[in-house]
Amino acid sequence: MNSPVPSPRSGSASPVTLVDSNVLLDVLTDDPTWGTWSQSALVQARDTGRLVINPLVYAEVSTGFEKIEDLDEAVPTADFDREALPFEAGFVAGKAFLAYRQRGGERRSPLADFYIGAHAAVCGYRLLTRDAPRYRTYFPTVVLVAP
């Protein structure tokens, strides 16, 4: 698998875009439906600011790799800043997940997805994702970059 962002990013510090695992997986697996859109969206986000991933995104993407070195080569720190999850995002994620379950949401949506949205919300980041409906519903203040 190749790096999802083929050229060095610009030095621009703003805006910051948290990248959801579905976008990275589209590019890394050359998804026939979403690969081109995801690649283009990543490049555009990189050209206008910083790209960030968190440990949950890293873990979700890691399932396609045998070795950590291969994952780190595919999602290089030169292109993707790694950030810890803020504790405040844990509270926000828990409340959003509770609201989702109270509205009849199925267990197929894991808490981790809500944590990704909460990370973007708490830090004021944009979120690059293909899962726009859920994020719009539970994190309405997050600016989404979505198809």
Side-chain angles (χ1 to χ4, degrees):
M1 291 189 218
N2 293 324
S3 171
V5 182
S7 61
R9 66 186 152 109
S10 66
S12 175
S14 187
V16 177
T17 303
L18 179 61
V19 181
D20 199 355
S21 56
N22 55 29
V23 172
L24 289 173
L25 290 169
D26 289 344
V27 176
L28 293 170
T29 64
D30 198 21
D31 183 271
T33 303
W34 292 105
T36 300
W37 180 88
S38 292
Q39 176 69 36
S40 176
L42 269 174
V43 169
Q44 186 174 13
R46 183 261 342 264
D47 287 346
T48 61
R50 278 190 323 126
L51 299 177
V52 171
I53 61 172
N54 63 34
L56 294 170
V57 171
Y58 189 82
E60 289 175 342
V61 173
S62 76
T63 61
F65 294 87
E66 291 295 317
K67 298 186 304 185
I68 194 170
E69 295 83 5
D70 295 337
L71 173 59
D72 287 341
E73 184 178 322
V75 186
T77 58
D79 293 323
F80 299 91
D81 291 339
R82 273 99 163 120
E83 284 193 7
L85 293 161
F87 273 88
E88 296 84 359
F91 182 83
V92 173
K95 294 301 180 191
F97 186 71
L98 178 62
Y100 166 78
R101 294 293 295 138
Q102 288 173 338
R103 291 178 179 175
E106 300 175 12
R107 291 207 182 266
R108 67 177 185 80
S109 288
L111 180 57
D113 289 347
F114 289 89
Y115 218 139
I116 291 167
H119 182 181
V122 166
C123 292
Y125 294 164
R126 300 183 315 173
L127 180 60
L128 176 56
T129 184
R130 284 191 296 98
D131 194 11
R134 178 182 25 240
Y135 291 120
R136 278 192 189 107
T137 300
Y138 295 99
F139 303 98
T141 62
V142 173
V143 173
L144 299 179
V145 179

